[in-house]
Amino acid sequence: MNLIDDMISIFDASEELYSERDVATGIRTKLIESNIPKSDTEQFYDLMAFEFAENCQDKDNGWGTYFGPFMTLDNGDGTFSESPSIQEITPECIIHWAQRAQQVKHPVLKSRYAHLVWDFSKRIIGNAAPIDYARITIDSSIELTSVVYEKYDAILFKVVVPKKLARALSIAISVKDEPRIKLAVEALISYENRVGQDEYPATWGFSFDHLLGNKKAGLSAEQKEKIIQDLEARLDRISNSEAVGNEKRWCIEPAAIRLAQYYQREKSPDDAKRVILKLGDAFSQLAENSAPLIASSHYEELRSLYQQYGLSDEAKQLEVKLAELGPKVVSEFKRVPFRYEIKQEVIEAYTAEILEGGLETSLARIAIQFIPNKQQAENSLKDIANQCPLSYTIRNQMYDHDGRLVANIDSIDNDLDGRLIGHISQTLQFEMPFLHFALTGLIEKYSLAKDDIVSLVLESPIFTADKQGIIDAGVDAYLNDNHLVAAHLLIPQIEAAIRNLLRMANGSIYRPNKNGGFDYRTLGDLLPDGLFKKIITDIFGDDANLYFRILFNDKRGWNIRNDICHGILGSDAIQKPITDRIMHVLILLSRIRPVEEINK
């Protein structure tokens, strides 16, 4: 008998409950203390057995198995290192685990060894394991529920064991073992009855999650009714408890949401509304005792739930509350000034470089250089996220100057597009002085007056002569620092030019209206148009359409078209940085020419 045999025997004889991680730690410690080399593979088979992570079948590791690596490290060269690695599993390893599964008695050991054999045999040996190993996995997982936990972290195992029971049920279903399906179902229900504690939501609800809606589980009508009534009773107890604030909200929410989803599936909308209103009481109590920003977040989440479950009147009442809270939310925001100095010689060198080569070359260079590069921005965003991971794993909420919630942006893994738009929006802000230097330098170097700029714009056929007076007035306002007028006049002309571009390419510029006629498509409808995106990509590259979207009509970006045309921005907010960007887009679009003219 080797050292690891002794270690396994100690764990097997233990009357205390322990985890697979405890076994792995014990084996690893013994191997290190005894200086046993990794070449002694048989002893390392046991270490590997208890280091695998469970429930990895949906993870992108390429194994296609229930078990996967506990840890994956990026090597920085496009490859990854895994521990344990599936490459270390050999046919001899499978045989070793199979022998262990037959020898040991403790359910933690027995279920792990048998489960590994069942999971990996086909992948490693090429043949499915004997069905006995599926049965051992199921039986030993169910046996776990009968172990006494007083000497261990009870809450941990109240959370872990249900996952093992759910896996046992899944295996029993996959091998069509009806008696064991029934046992696994009964084990899940009875285990929840034993360990569920109202104040610990992770210890209950798993019978609902794994059994209701699972037709292959074969629930009886009585079992189904019991699961629902137990959850209803738990909801009532929590609702009537003395718990307050987050403590109550985090307990009542998982019960109410499960029941509401169930009643919605069962076509019982009144019951769904009833349980959501109970949740609403907890949310409202929490919001009333929270700071305005936190209260606003709670009310918005609740409003969304009310809307989802058909409680329209209640949702509208919350919208009134949110509007009332807006000014208080804004008062909580703190302005963080950021100052940086750009030396005069840097400005002069920059403008000299960007304006080199004549007017046409300078216009083309400014037009292209200030389109943000999506790939560069994405690489930069991911670098920052790697350095500051916490900031990019939690949801961001965007509020406007009135305290109105404008958008939610999820973590970088779940909402890369939203994070990228926010990152590019910040980059546009950092670029503001350089765009200003470029435009100011262009006007000064080439002595461009209002008429010169308007003539340049009208060289493109997408700007029509009948709009010259409006463009003239807008450019004049820009040159005279009347940014309020410039923005209001020029943004609609940019929208009209984009519509003209699509029309000239034989694209649709109309949409039906409710009166039987047609309305012109607006910018929010034009920019996603497949033909328009192709045209803009062919002319300016892949990044221009995203730039237009961020600048004009994405709530997560600058959104200046919507905020100005719908009267949302105040006059103080419409300043030089906005009109500089408008002028940049005018320059960009003014570079568009008919194909025949380019060929000449």
Side-chain angles (χ1 to χ4, degrees), residues 192 204-214 227 258:
E192 181 166 336
W204 49 265
F206 47 83
S207 294
F208 179 98
D209 297 339
H210 297 299
L211 299 179
L212 257 71
N214 186 349
I227 291 171
R258 283 183 175 101

Side-chain angles (χ1 to χ4, degrees), residues 114-365:
H115 201 170
L116 289 170
V117 174
W118 181 251
D119 194 38
F120 283 118
S121 286
K122 191 166 185 179
R123 178 71 189 271
I124 304 302
I125 300 175
N127 299 311
I131 198 168
D132 282 351
Y133 291 95
R135 292 167 179 159
I136 293 171
T137 303
I138 297 165
D139 295 345
S140 53
S141 296
I142 292 173
E143 188 184 347
L144 277 172
T145 64
S146 64
V147 178
V148 180
Y149 305 141
E150 277 76 3
K151 297 180 181 179
Y152 206 80
D153 183 348
I155 295 300
L156 171 65
F157 276 90
K158 288 174 183 178
V159 174
V160 170
V161 172
K163 296 177 182 178
K164 295 183 182 295
L165 290 175
R167 175 61 176 169
L169 174 62
S170 175
I171 294 173
I173 290 172
S174 71
V175 298
K176 298 180 171 58
D177 190 328
E178 294 298 332
R180 285 184 170 83
I181 292 174
K182 184 178 180 181
L183 287 171
V185 167
E186 291 171 349
L188 273 163
I189 295 173
S190 64
Y191 189 72
E192 181 166 336
N193 288 340
R194 288 168 52 197
V195 304
Q197 295 173 252
D198 292 348
E199 65 272 27
Y200 296 115
T203 66
W204 49 265
F206 47 83
S207 294
F208 179 98
D209 297 339
H210 297 299
L211 299 179
L212 257 71
N214 186 349
K215 294 180 180 179
K216 295 180 179 179
L219 277 184
S220 68
E222 292 77 12
Q223 287 173 324
K224 181 177 178 181
E225 181 69 15
K226 174 176 172 48
I227 291 171
I228 295 301
Q229 290 308 314
D230 285 351
L231 202 52
E232 283 276 13
R234 198 178 298 278
L235 178 63
D236 285 341
R237 287 197 303 272
I238 298 169
S239 298
N240 297 323
S241 71
E242 295 181 0
V244 295
N246 272 318
E247 180 185 347
K248 189 166 192 174
R249 178 259 172 99
W250 297 128
C251 294
I252 199 172
E253 185 172 5
I257 294 297
R258 283 183 175 101
L259 286 167
Q261 291 172 345
Y262 169 76
Y263 289 130
Q264 197 172 53
R265 289 197 304 269
E266 294 294 310
K267 312 295 187 206
S268 299
D270 290 342
D271 282 322
K273 292 176 182 179
R274 172 177 56 80
V275 296
I276 289 298
L277 286 172
K278 285 189 178 182
L279 175 59
D281 290 340
F283 263 98
S284 297
Q285 182 188 81
L286 179 59
E288 287 166 6
N289 293 285
S290 300
L293 182 58
I294 304 299
S296 175
S297 178
H298 291 318
Y299 282 135
E300 171 51 34
E301 193 173 347
L302 182 57
R303 187 209 63 81
S304 179
L305 281 171
Y306 281 166
Q307 201 72 48
Q308 181 181 347
Y309 288 98
L311 294 160
S312 301
D313 291 341
E314 289 80 358
K316 288 177 181 177
Q317 291 172 11
L318 287 181
E319 288 166 7
V320 173
K321 279 184 175 289
L322 285 165
E324 291 172 351
L325 269 175
K328 296 177 182 178
V329 170
V330 172
S331 70
E332 290 191 331
F333 294 155
K334 298 289 189 294
R335 185 177 294 276
V336 180
F338 177 76
R339 298 177 63 87
Y340 60 97
E341 180 181 348
I342 305 174
K343 294 182 179 179
Q344 185 62 33
E345 54 266 32
V346 173
I347 298 172
E348 292 172 357
Y350 174 76
T351 52
E353 181 181 349
I354 202 168
L355 300 176
E356 183 182 6
L359 177 59
E360 284 297 319
T361 301
S362 299
L363 286 168
R365 190 178 290 120

Side-chain angles (χ1 to χ4, degrees), residues 4 8 23 27 45-47 49-50 67 94 96-102 104 107-118 133 136-137:
I4 304 307
I8 295 298
V23 181
I27 293 174
Y45 291 158
D46 290 297
L47 174 61
F50 294 94
F67 289 101
I94 299 291
H96 179 81
W97 291 339
Q99 291 170 346
R100 288 288 198 206
Q102 299 292 341
V104 296
V108 170
L109 303 179
K110 201 170 189 70
S111 63
R112 173 53 69 100
Y113 281 123
H115 201 170
L116 289 170
V117 174
W118 181 251
Y133 291 95
I136 293 171
T137 303

Side-chain angles (χ1 to χ4, degrees), residues 428 547-553 558-561 581 585:
L428 296 181
Y547 173 47
F548 290 162
R549 181 156 62 97
I550 292 171
L551 190 60
F552 289 116
N553 75 325
W558 284 32
N559 199 33
I560 58 174
R561 184 269 184 198
R581 280 292 166 185
V585 174

Side-chain angles (χ1 to χ4, degrees), residues 3-4 7 11 21-36 44 47 51:
L3 289 170
I4 304 307
M7 178 66 64
F11 277 109
R21 185 57 42 194
D22 294 327
V23 181
T25 300
I27 293 174
R28 190 186 306 106
T29 301
K30 181 62 70 174
L31 290 172
I32 293 171
E33 289 175 352
S34 305
N35 293 317
I36 296 175
F44 277 88
L47 174 61
E51 288 194 321

Side-chain angles (χ1 to χ4, degrees), residues 450-471:
K450 175 198 66 175
D451 291 342
D452 301 316
I453 296 173
V454 173
S455 296
L456 287 169
V457 171
L458 292 176
E459 285 178 9
S460 173
I462 67 174
F463 292 97
T464 56
D466 63 316
K467 305 294 177 61
Q468 179 173 348
I470 302 173
I471 297 171

